[in-house]
Amino acid sequence: MSPDRLLAVLAAITALAISPAKGAPAESTAAGPAAADLAAQGDGHGVLPCSSCHGRLGEGNAADGVPHLAGLPAAYLAAQLDALAEGTRRNPTMGPIARSLSARQRRQLAEYYSALPAVSAPGNAPAAELDDRVALHGRWSDEIPACVQCHGPDGRGVGEKFPPLIGQSALYIANQLRAWRVGTRHDDPLGLMRAVAGRLSERDIHAVSDYFACQPAAACQQRVHAPDSEQTKAADSAARAHTRPASAGAGGTQRAVFTPSDRPIPDDEFGKVVKLGKQIFENPAKYASPYVGNDLRCSSCHLDAGRHVGSAPLWAAYVSYPAYRAKNHRVNTFAERLQGCFRFSMNGRLPPLGDPVLVALESYAYWLARGAPLDPGIAGRGYPKPAPPVLPPNYERGAKVYARTCALCHGDDGGGRRANDGSPVFPALWGPDSFNWGAGMGSVTNAASFIKANMPLGRGGTLGDQDAWDVALYMDSQERPQDPRSTGSVSQTRAEFHDGPDWMYGLSVNGHVLGSDSEPPGGRLRDSPSSGEGNSANHGRHPSSPEQL
């Protein structure tokens, strides 16, 4: 390939697109003939036609690593052209072209390509064995979240900030990951892609690129984990040890943090239940739907499928029960603790003790905890509490922190964000689809601890302590579903369950008493004939569990 052609290849004007489906002629889009002519012919004054590299229908050139543009969000395409014009995305070929376009022309081209239907077949998709671990699960030992946690299932994209990856060529995806890594791209919001790409090895880049180039899965003949060499296993183990430091125990002594094994779940009868438990943990709305009233996932607050230190790992909880809980003033078994998660965090109803859902979750927790000591003070449990705030947590400051660091993923209204195919990706932090007032994340201390250690995703620990406290108070000062234990007035419910500085429930914020306008608990289960505990009429009672669980 000639140097000039290579520059053209690297001059892709957008990062990562959806898989194409046969499209209509360019002239049929709503952006008008000016954009169509510019795309097909250039302007005759030095601006080359976009179609010379990106194809007549915006289908790209997979073999040369030129991305397809058809069907991408117009706002995203416009932002990439602006970044190239402004220099925050550097490219020796596309930079001058983008700068030669007026702002109006850039918007017209973005709308033109967005209106084109995507082309039908992913180009140059590898059909060899695939390693899907980083794409689907991440590698949290190196603080690498799964790609799909931001870009949606199969990389289908989430709005204009997290573009589709599905079906894009492997060469293009790899080139962009390298650009993030070396800094020739730095137009990413919150620096998320630079942080993640900077931790990827070349092997990771190839694995991620090949995986998404093969999506949907039918585009590839095989989809399996590539086997690890002993050298790779040793390197991963060393990285994990480096990123999971020893924790201080009683008296200031150092206690090693337990690491759950990476061994495969066995393909036997017990293993089937363990796998079901993991599926429930990662998608309870799908696999435990009779008991779930919202779209939250257990792994939203317990990262890396319940494995991650600093994110209340599931293995640490398993070895800490039975235990006395002040929340209900009694000793709880681990299964009863799981019941509470469904009732409060999932805004749902209690699975009966012995239900297959609870058995599967407990089996998965046991699988993760095998080899860990039975110790309620085990290192790595819970969320590490940040230093006390210098100033009392403040709503107005928290609102600014939220707008700056949280709204990108969770939405301006705190309602979360969905992938372009409608599936939930980023959880709701308040509102009808969030956890209810009885959930542990409604505690400002718990929320600040989780936020400080884990947010923004993949950049945990970068938020200041004061910011974490402020934004936690702001989040917990918004309305959400009612506490299912409530049987009287807001003031009575606060006195019984939320009487402390950690809880905003029942307090007046901006003239509104929190809890006074809460919808009944139960979410999507509330109006179901079999809603049981989720129905406010019976306040969550269940014959197999105490009323105050």
Side-chain angles (χ1 to χ4, degrees):
M1 184 183 301
S2 70
D4 288 343
R5 183 59 176 161
L6 179 59
L7 287 176
V9 169
L10 295 177
I13 68 170
T14 163
L16 317 171
I18 59 175
S19 70
K22 186 136 180 148
E27 292 75 21
S28 67
T29 67
D37 290 345
L38 190 60
Q41 303 168 20
D43 69 351
H45 300 286
V47 176
L48 299 176
C50 308
S51 59
S52 63
C53 288
H54 295 283
R56 187 175 69 88
L57 299 177
E59 70 272 21
N61 185 327
D64 286 342
V66 177
H68 55 80
L69 313 179
L72 280 173
Y76 176 75
L77 290 170
Q80 297 311 303
L81 285 170
D82 289 345
L84 286 160
E86 295 162 2
T88 53
R89 181 174 179 177
R90 297 196 302 271
N91 184 277
T93 300
M94 276 305 302
I97 293 174
R99 286 191 291 273
S100 72
L101 297 169
S102 68
R104 181 171 181 269
Q105 286 175 317
R106 294 198 293 269
R107 297 300 177 276
Q108 286 179 325
L109 282 171
E111 292 170 4
Y112 167 74
Y113 279 111
S114 178
L116 287 174
V119 289
S120 58
N124 201 34
E129 291 185 345
L130 298 175
D131 183 345
D132 60 11
R133 288 171 296 182
V134 172
L136 297 185
H137 308 291
R139 188 171 63 246
W140 282 97
S141 59
D142 291 333
E143 294 297 327
I144 299 172
C147 304
V148 296
Q149 284 186 266
C150 291
H151 291 275
D154 290 333
R156 296 181 186 276
V158 180
E160 65 189 58
K161 298 295 186 181
F162 300 96
L165 315 179
I166 183 171
Q168 188 59 274
S169 75
L171 179 58
Y172 176 71
I173 296 174
N175 283 341
Q176 298 315 302
L177 289 172
R178 294 185 187 106
W180 291 119
R181 188 171 63 181
V182 302
T184 53
R185 286 198 67 177
H186 50 91
D187 57 316
D188 53 329
L190 304 180
L192 297 178
M193 279 306 305
R194 281 171 286 172
V196 172
R199 302 177 186 128
L200 297 177
S201 66
E202 273 299 305
R203 172 179 171 174
D204 295 330
I205 288 174
H206 283 294
V208 167
S209 303
D210 287 349
Y211 175 79
F212 286 112
C214 281
Q215 301 311 307
C220 292
Q221 297 173 1
Q222 301 183 59
R223 181 167 166 246
V224 298
H225 294 306
D228 276 343
S229 66
E230 291 303 316
Q231 183 179 6
T232 300
K233 290 178 181 178
D236 287 348
S237 178
R240 186 175 297 111
H242 175 72
T243 56
R244 292 187 178 181
S247 300
T253 59
Q254 294 295 310
R255 305 167 63 192
V257 176
F258 171 75
T259 300
S261 173
D262 287 328
R263 64 192 181 281
I265 297 172
D267 189 17
D268 56 22
E269 292 305 310
F270 176 67
K272 291 177 183 177
V273 178
V274 172
K275 289 177 183 176
L276 175 60
K278 184 178 181 182
Q279 290 173 320
I280 294 170
F281 196 85
E282 295 187 309
N283 195 348
K286 178 178 180 180
Y287 293 99
S289 57
Y291 307 110
V292 174
N294 57 30
D295 285 323
L296 271 64
R297 302 167 188 253
C298 308
S299 53
S300 296
C301 295
H302 309 276
L303 301 178
D304 193 18
R307 299 170 55 90
H308 191 48
V309 168
S311 188
L314 188 59
W315 50 264
Y318 181 82
V319 299
S320 302
Y321 283 87
Y324 178 84
R325 297 192 74 210
K327 186 168 187 174
N328 55 20
H329 309 292
R330 57 182 293 274
V331 172
N332 287 204
T333 66
F334 184 67
E336 289 172 322
R337 180 67 181 87
L338 292 174
Q339 283 183 313
C341 294
F342 282 95
R343 189 183 188 193
F344 301 118
S345 296
M346 298 296 151
N347 192 30
R349 63 192 185 101
L350 304 171
L353 294 177
D355 187 272
V357 165
L358 292 182
V359 173
L361 284 170
E362 190 165 9
S363 298
Y364 176 55
Y366 165 75
W367 175 258
L368 292 179
R370 290 176 63 178
L374 290 174
D375 180 4
I378 189 170
R381 182 186 179 190
Y383 305 125
K385 188 176 179 180
V390 175
L391 302 172
N394 176 270
Y395 182 96
E396 287 75 20
R397 289 196 307 266
K400 294 177 181 178
V401 176
Y402 184 86
R404 185 174 70 245
T405 64
C406 311
L408 170 70
C409 296
H410 298 285
D412 294 336
D413 63 353
R417 293 195 190 275
R418 292 179 175 270
N420 294 341
D421 66 354
S423 57
V425 177
F426 296 110
L429 302 183
W430 62 82
D433 197 43
S434 187
F435 53 87
N436 63 45
W437 279 113
M441 201 57 76
S443 155
V444 174
T445 295
N446 283 351
S449 300
F450 172 78
I451 291 166
K452 169 64 180 178
N454 299 289
M455 293 290 115
L457 199 64
R459 299 200 64 202
T462 61
L463 203 62
D465 292 334
Q466 184 70 56
D467 283 349
W469 284 103
D470 289 340
V471 77
L473 180 134
Y474 175 76
M475 181 185 82
D476 283 340
S477 297
Q478 313 296 331
E479 275 293 10
R480 58 190 67 259
Q482 185 59 267
D483 189 325
R485 299 167 296 181
S486 176
T487 58
S489 67
V490 170
S491 59
Q492 179 182 340
T493 301
R494 176 172 174 85
E496 189 171 359
F497 302 112
H498 304 287
D499 188 17
D502 254 2
W503 298 93
M504 300 303 295
Y505 181 92
L507 301 183
S508 178
V509 176
N510 296 329
H512 172 72
V513 176
L514 295 171
S516 63
D517 195 29
S518 295
E519 67 173 48
R524 68 170 66 99
L525 300 178
R526 189 174 60 246
D527 300 322
S528 169
S530 60
S531 61
E533 304 73 38
N535 193 309
S536 59
N538 59 24
H539 306 294
R541 294 180 177 87
H542 193 282
S544 68
S545 303
E547 183 176 334
Q548 297 301 316
L549 184 67

